[in-house]
Amino acid sequence: MPTTPLPRRAGLRIAAVTALTAALTPLSGLPAGAAPMAPGDNGTLKIHTAPWDGVQRTPYGDAIDEPRVCRFYLDAAGFETVDAVTWRIETQPPVTGGATLRGTLNLPNDTGIGHTEDQNLPDGQYQLSWSFVGMTGAERQKTFTVDCRASMSTPGPQGGPPAGGGGIARDEAFTTVAGAGAVGLAAVGGVIWFRLRRRTHGA
């Protein structure tokens, strides 16, 4: 009775498994069981600076994503034929009664792009979440920081204390030193004049 060598049987099993895997793999090239991408799945909301205290607006459609802003807006891109994106901003980590913003961003004419109005939030760290009808998987998220510190917008005092400290502004320090110098010169001049006067009179 003929027998099949063991190596040949192993080769046949490998070939069978390979054929079965190929049959289960979709023509798109995605792994078996993976859901196909829906229109808009590659879309994103970017955080852009809005004008404030002399700071210029980041242009609409700019590829930059700014993790630290003061006044800001959301800029949508890459949503293909999606008509609208629902977004929400909450404090991060979540705080009971913390500041929140939410809205729906309409994307006209199947362009997949659009932007919100300018937004304001108290200083702190926040999480932006967004979703849309028909998306694959859970809502998308990203974190950013709102920072409107006074040092970023209010100019510091002109000049500063002179070398050596003392806390006197430069103009004030100059006036004080100049005045003291004038008094000193007047005193020295008086002494010289008095000595010359004594010599003139033979004293």
Side-chain angles (χ1 to χ4, degrees):
M1 179 178 179
T3 59
T4 303
L6 184 60
R8 184 177 177 185
R9 288 184 178 178
L12 291 174
R13 289 178 182 176
I14 294 174
V17 170
T18 302
L20 180 60
T21 301
L24 292 176
T25 301
L27 296 178
S28 61
L30 293 175
M37 296 288 284
D41 278 351
N42 290 323
T44 185
L45 292 183
K46 296 181 181 293
I47 297 139
H48 284 171
T49 292
W52 65 280
D53 199 22
V55 177
Q56 299 296 315
R57 178 187 300 278
T58 300
Y60 300 129
D62 197 303
I64 192 173
D65 203 354
E66 298 168 275
R68 185 176 295 272
V69 292
C70 178
R71 202 159 184 254
F72 66 97
Y73 70 96
L74 305 180
D75 202 15
F79 284 96
E80 303 177 72
T81 58
V82 173
D83 295 328
V85 176
T86 302
W87 58 271
R88 182 179 73 259
I89 298 175
E90 299 174 310
T91 52
Q92 181 65 29
V95 176
T96 302
T100 60
L101 290 173
R102 63 184 66 240
T104 299
L105 176 54
N106 294 316
L107 308 176
N109 304 322
D110 294 336
T111 59
I113 60 175
H115 59 84
T116 66
E117 299 293 329
D118 297 344
Q119 308 292 327
N120 293 285
L121 281 170
D123 286 6
Q125 189 169 16
Y126 294 89
Q127 180 172 274
L128 165 66
S129 306
W130 72 89
S131 61
F132 57 88
V133 176
M135 70 182 295
T136 303
E139 63 182 8
R140 300 344 185 219
Q141 298 175 336
K142 66 175 59 174
T143 58
F144 67 102
T145 299
V146 172
D147 188 349
C148 296
R149 295 170 296 176
S151 61
M152 297 175 64
S153 58
T154 304
Q158 297 299 317
I168 304 175
R170 289 181 179 176
D171 292 343
E172 181 182 348
F174 176 78
T175 302
T176 304
V177 173
V183 172
L185 288 174
V188 172
V191 172
I192 294 174
W193 177 85
F194 180 71
R195 288 182 177 177
L196 289 176
R197 178 181 177 83
R198 291 182 62 186
R199 289 179 182 175
T200 303
H201 290 79

